[in-house]
Structures are given as C-alpha cells and as structure tokens.
Amino acid sequence: MHIDRPGADPTPFGSYPADDVTFVLKDLSHVELEAPLEDREEAIQSGRHYSEMLPIEYRPTERYLALFHETLAESAERVALAAGVTAERVLAERGPDVVLVSLARAGTPVGVLLRRYLARVHGLAPAHYSISIIRGRGIDVNAVTEIRRRHPESPLAVIDGWTGKGAIQKELTAACAPGQPAAALGLDDRMAVLADPGWCAALWGTRDDFLIPSACLNATVSGLVSRTVLNREVIGPDDFHGAKYYAELGEEDLSRHFVDTVAACFPRVAVAAAAEAARLDAEADPPTWAGAHDVAAIGARFGLDDENLIKPGVGETTRVLLRRLPWKVLVHPGRESEVAHVLRLAEERGVPTEAYAAMTYSCCGLIKPLR
C-alpha cells in the first residue's frame, strides 16, 4: 500500500500484500530519473547528491539468481532468528502498541519480517510504514508527521536492514536531536536493525556480518520499489520523498518469496529468539562504533580521503557492486563462505579482491576515485 500525499487514503503501490507495509512516498513512477552507471558516478563525485537520480536497476544473471536462491535456502533460519531477536527487543522496549517505521528500501523487507514475527508469535498486528531517510539530507519529516497524525499516541520504532559505517544512524541521531521536528513528533534515534556489524545501533538481532539475502537484489526483493529520491525538480516542500514502482519487473519479483521463506521459520526459532533477546537486553552492550574506526583505518591504508568511497559490510559491498563503480573488494580471510555472492559479483564485473583482516566486517567495497 501507499500514501502519496499527506492525508490521502492508502492506494496500491509495490508488490507486498497490503497488510505488510504502507509506503509513505511520492509516486515518481512516471519520471525518468535513471542514469547510466558511469554518468551517475561522475555526477556524484562531482558534487551532485546521489538522491537526485537513480541507478538503472541491475538485472541479475541466471547464475547470480541461482546463488540468491541457494543462499536463501541455506540462511533462511539464520535470518529468521535475527529477525525474531530484533522483534522481541523492539516489543520489550516499545510495547504492544508499537508502530514500525522502516527505512526504505533496505529496511522495508526487515520491517515486513518484524511485523510478521509479531503477528505470528505474539498475535499482534502492528502498523508498518516505510519512509525515506537520505544521507546528507535527513529524514522525511513530512512522512513522520503523517504517521504521527494517524497514530497520535503510539510509540514509533525505526527499523533498518543492517549497519555499515553508521551514516544512517548518524543521520537519524541528528534528525532526533532536541529541538528538531522529528523529535517533537516523538521519534528517537534508537534504531533497530537485523545485523549490526558496525557496532552502532541500539537494538540488533546479531552483530555478525553475514549475507542477508535481500541485500543480493534491489527492487525485486524490496516490493519492486526504487531507492528513495529527493530531487527538488519533482519533490516540493510539502511532498514526501519520492520513489518509483517498477511494475514492469513483476515477473522477476522475489519480494514475497523472500519474506515468506524466512517467516516460515519463525515457529522453529521463536523460543531461541526470545531467550537471545533477553540475554542481549540484560547485557546492555552499548555501541562502540568499532566499524567506523576500521573504516578510517581503511581510508588511510588505501589513500581514500572521502569515506563515502568506502562501503563496509556485506550489504554495502553488494550495493557497490550492483550500482557504483567498484575499485576493489576487501575480504576478511576465513569468511569467504559468508560472501560467496560478493565474490560472484566481483568476478562478473572484473573487480579485484584483496585479503584484509583488520576489520570487524566480512568484506568492504571500495569505490573507484575518479579524481
């Protein structure tokens, strides 16, 4: 479902069932925003903001799709356990009236999984909205305002997929600082994620840097929705941030298949998830930002002054290989089995890999400096 403008009734958008998620985004499906990879990279490194345009959607090869299915079959229960732990921790902190607010689009499938877990294991039916947050531009305050209008008393929980070096966590913290509009609307920066290899989130299901299969693909595992857009030529001051719905990719869509496969494991992991969540809550292990320190060291080691060219973690490395100009991929020795799809993508694109052990992550993607 979809809310296109403040106060509007939800309408069909994306490929998830209506109960799974409502996207609070302006529909830009009719606008040409895609740019070829090289042109887009040149524009970004020349100062244009990445959110003003879209990459051309990667169309995976049959070999790569086979790897997605293999990985999903192997890791579904592991993902289900991490999702269950995250959901249990969110429920314990926010209570049964919680409204899930996922960050489109990597956070959208995770928000769907948390909602399904809470429904199946606890009999709850929390509302789930997916909104935009953009590095360097902030969270969509208009979208938060709309959610608060619809749920004036409910606690809000921000959900994302995983952490890299913590850029989105920093953006959320800035948006929720005292005196900011999002803070006045009852939003806080205690983000919940499935995986926190960057050691910077408040709530997490695991800190292992492993492949969450939804990171393998783009729109075809995220409800056929593009990444979010903030381009002032098409987004006015009273609009939500925008996104496109790629209905033409319907035959390739794996969004429901992914969440259905993982959710089928919830009954088997529920007891273990509750126990692990209780253990983590009791330990109260705070963020150390270890990942950000590792990124600074990587920048010094490889002569990259711009940390935006360093994308740590399995999820972020995958994004580099799918929609940026990768220079090389660093792989933690001994964790090759965790990053098989990364190695496959690097091989397909002719990107060299290099062993590098001094990081918390399983891998790290480095973007090619054009200057």
Side-chain angles (χ1 to χ4, degrees):
M1 297 294 286
H2 172 237
I3 301 171
D4 185 72
R5 63 188 185 281
D9 293 329
T11 58
F13 184 84
S15 63
Y16 289 111
D19 288 344
D20 273 343
V21 61
T22 298
F23 291 95
V24 190
L25 296 165
K26 183 177 181 179
D27 187 0
L28 300 178
S29 302
H30 61 288
V31 182
E32 290 294 328
L33 293 164
E34 290 81 5
L37 186 63
E38 292 79 5
D39 294 349
R40 186 170 179 271
E41 192 63 51
E42 174 68 29
I44 291 172
Q45 293 195 33
S46 296
R48 189 176 184 191
H49 199 273
Y50 74 88
S51 68
E52 296 178 10
M53 51 196 162
L54 291 170
I56 297 171
E57 283 288 314
Y58 170 73
R59 308 297 284 266
T61 63
E62 289 187 12
R63 186 179 176 213
Y64 186 76
L65 275 175
L67 181 62
F68 167 81
H69 288 290
E70 292 166 12
T71 303
L72 179 57
E74 294 169 358
S75 66
E77 193 157 315
R78 187 178 183 182
V79 175
L81 177 60
V85 173
T86 307
E88 294 282 1
R89 300 185 74 187
V90 168
L91 179 60
E93 182 171 285
R94 304 301 168 99
D97 294 330
V98 65
V99 171
L100 305 178
V101 182
S102 65
L103 301 178
R105 69 183 168 182
T108 306
V110 175
V112 171
L113 287 173
L114 266 59
R115 187 190 184 281
R116 290 194 179 190
Y117 180 93
L118 292 172
R120 188 158 189 173
V121 176
H122 292 281
L124 303 174
H128 171 212
Y129 300 92
S130 204
I131 71 172
S132 170
I133 189 171
I134 294 173
R135 176 176 48 80
R137 297 286 179 87
I139 200 164
D140 186 349
V141 174
N142 290 338
V144 179
T145 301
E146 178 66 14
I147 294 170
R148 181 52 78 204
R149 187 185 71 80
R150 293 168 183 264
H151 305 274
E153 304 297 333
S154 298
L156 309 179
V158 178
I159 311 296
D160 206 0
W162 56 84
T163 61
K165 55 182 175 283
I168 294 301
Q169 178 63 68
K170 291 178 181 177
E171 202 69 59
L172 181 61
T173 297
C176 296
Q180 294 299 313
L185 291 165
L187 201 68
D188 66 57
D189 70 343
R190 289 184 58 77
M191 187 168 69
V193 296
L194 198 68
D196 182 34
W199 287 67
C200 57
L203 300 173
W204 68 92
T206 179
R207 278 179 166 156
D208 294 339
D209 186 21
F210 75 104
L211 172 60
I212 301 168
S214 58
C216 282
L217 303 173
N218 286 328
T220 51
V221 79
S222 304
L224 298 184
V225 175
S226 75
R227 64 176 306 159
T228 59
V229 173
L230 185 56
N231 185 324
R232 294 306 182 190
E233 294 179 4
V234 292
I235 304 291
D238 298 323
D239 291 336
F240 303 136
H241 294 186
K244 299 183 74 166
Y245 171 36
Y246 294 117
E248 65 273 17
L249 299 180
E251 292 186 0
E252 303 169 46
D253 189 22
L254 293 166
S255 304
R256 294 194 188 195
H257 174 68
F258 169 68
V259 293
D260 287 348
T261 301
V262 174
C265 302
F266 286 155
R268 296 197 297 275
V269 305
V271 173
E276 177 66 2
R279 184 186 70 82
L280 291 174
D281 287 341
E283 289 182 355
D285 197 6
T288 65
W289 292 83
H293 299 309
D294 291 345
V295 166
I298 289 170
R301 165 69 177 78
F302 293 94
L304 295 173
D305 295 331
D306 183 357
E307 286 194 352
N308 291 326
L309 300 179
I310 304 168
K311 302 294 185 180
V314 175
E316 296 305 308
T317 303
T318 301
R319 290 177 169 186
V320 168
L321 291 165
L322 290 179
R323 60 187 189 226
R324 300 296 293 270
L325 279 182
W327 174 31
K328 63 178 66 180
V329 171
L330 310 180
V331 178
H332 199 297
R335 299 189 192 174
E336 289 81 4
S337 63
E338 300 280 22
V339 296
H341 81 293
V342 167
L343 298 176
R344 180 76 54 85
L345 268 179
E347 178 188 350
E348 288 181 2
R349 295 201 57 189
V351 178
T353 60
E354 182 174 327
Y356 186 86
M359 57 182 176
T360 65
Y361 310 98
S362 294
C363 60
C364 181
L366 304 183
I367 296 170
K368 183 178 181 180
L370 299 182
R371 289 173 176 79

